[in-house]
Amino acid sequence: MRHSFKTLLVAIAIAATSSIDAYAQDIGLSPTRPTVANGASIQNKGVLQFETGYDAFPQRVPGNQQTVAAGLSYAALDRLRLDFGWSPFVHQSDDVSNTNGIGTITLGGKVELFKEQYHLPKPGLAIQYEAELPTASQHSLQNYGQQITVLINHHYFKDGILDVIANSSLVQADCQTATGCTYGGQQSFALSYHLNEKSRLYAEAYGQNNSASNTPPGTYVFGGFYHQFSDTVGIDGGMRFGVSDHSASVGTTVGLIFGRRVRGKAD
């Protein structure tokens, strides 16, 4: 009887551990940092993902931009993610003024049109939309506009260790000003090399002619990393270097990502 009871306890412990492991693996984190370019994939259905980070850009001309950013995303369907983002703190300075306050809020989502097939040449393809809404902060930190982005990526070589990512977007900005909206875009190309299941290295080149909440206009190259401590927690960071005349000379970024299943179970 004692032996049977001990066997039962061991079986329960193994089952509980397996359940916890399966729950964690069911998260499927899909980071949107540290690069500007993002893949077409999203986290697993029913998973809430939270990201936060800090970006700093000393300007080549007198000035400085620093942003604390935060974002929530929820996978409502297998191929639909809903997004909410905002900047709880933004600092902008130049040779005549200093401004601190809350940055722009973004609302939108991502739709996977084609899921990536590792063993086929067809890449993953997604469309992402963001509406930018002003907050009650100072005018110089405000923006009202929208952005639509096409996202493409595909993994190559053995076990998909190299991920090639390309994004292109159209941007409408500054619609709250008396002179009306301005238009621009952002193009980015990134390589993600998987050192192992938990760690990646990134290299990226991108350019934009409109200021984003955490990136000044210009052309940049970037080197960075992403590491998952567990299936629900990760960290990212890196350095950006301006290569055009009016871009920020150098920038740094660091961030955290968390995931939690809030509805349903894995299929």
Side-chain angles (χ1 to χ4, degrees):
M1 175 68 77
R2 182 177 298 175
H3 177 74
S4 299
F5 181 69
K6 185 179 296 184
T7 303
L8 178 61
L9 290 177
V10 171
I12 292 174
I14 293 174
T17 302
S18 300
S19 177
I20 292 171
D21 290 343
Y23 179 88
Q25 294 170 359
D26 182 36
I27 297 297
L29 289 182
S30 180
T32 61
R33 295 172 57 96
T35 53
V36 170
N38 293 308
S41 64
I42 63 176
Q43 68 266 30
N44 292 341
K45 178 182 176 182
V47 171
L48 182 68
Q49 182 174 287
F50 173 74
E51 291 185 76
T52 184
Y54 169 76
D55 298 270
F57 284 90
Q59 299 292 311
R60 180 165 285 146
V61 295
N64 185 283
Q65 177 172 314
Q66 300 182 50
T67 307
V68 177
L72 279 173
S73 66
Y74 175 68
L77 302 172
D78 288 329
R79 297 192 179 189
L80 173 64
R81 189 185 78 184
L82 305 176
D83 298 330
F84 169 81
W86 72 308
S87 301
F89 175 77
V90 178
H91 166 79
Q92 291 180 351
S93 65
D94 53 33
D95 53 357
V96 295
S97 64
N98 289 284
T99 304
N100 298 296
I102 299 172
T104 300
I105 290 174
T106 61
L107 295 172
K110 180 194 288 190
V111 177
E112 281 188 276
L113 301 178
F114 299 104
K115 281 188 172 292
E116 179 189 6
Q117 302 294 325
Y118 274 48
H119 303 294
L120 297 176
K122 182 174 68 175
L125 175 65
I127 297 290
Q128 184 170 336
Y129 174 80
E130 294 180 350
E132 297 188 328
L133 307 173
T135 65
S137 189
Q138 298 184 48
H139 181 272
S140 61
L141 300 176
Q142 300 310 290
N143 189 27
Y144 178 75
Q146 55 190 335
Q147 178 172 232
I148 186 167
T149 308
V150 177
L151 310 97
I152 300 172
N153 79 288
H154 200 290
H155 287 76
Y156 292 93
F157 303 116
K158 183 179 179 181
D159 299 323
I161 63 171
L162 183 68
D163 190 12
V164 178
I165 310 167
N167 291 178
S168 181
S169 69
L170 294 175
V171 179
Q172 181 189 59
D174 300 321
C175 294
Q176 78 281 4
T177 62
T179 56
C181 303
T182 61
Y183 296 87
Q186 183 185 80
Q187 290 74 43
S188 52
F189 178 82
L191 299 175
S192 170
Y193 181 77
H194 295 244
L195 295 172
N196 51 54
E197 186 179 353
K198 300 293 186 182
S199 301
R200 310 173 203 173
L201 296 178
Y202 287 96
E204 180 181 37
Y206 69 96
Q208 60 190 47
N209 56 0
N210 286 87
S211 178
S213 62
N214 62 340
T215 314
T219 303
Y220 300 86
V221 294
F222 171 79
F225 72 95
Y226 172 73
H227 175 74
Q228 280 191 216
F229 294 107
S230 69
D231 290 293
T232 59
V233 180
I235 187 173
D236 58 68
M239 298 285 294
R240 297 183 172 104
F241 301 93
V243 295
S244 59
D245 290 340
H246 300 291
S247 60
S249 55
V250 65
T252 60
T253 180
V254 63
L256 292 169
I257 178 172
F258 305 91
R260 181 178 178 83
R261 173 163 294 283
V262 296
R263 181 176 65 86
K265 295 181 179 180
D267 294 333

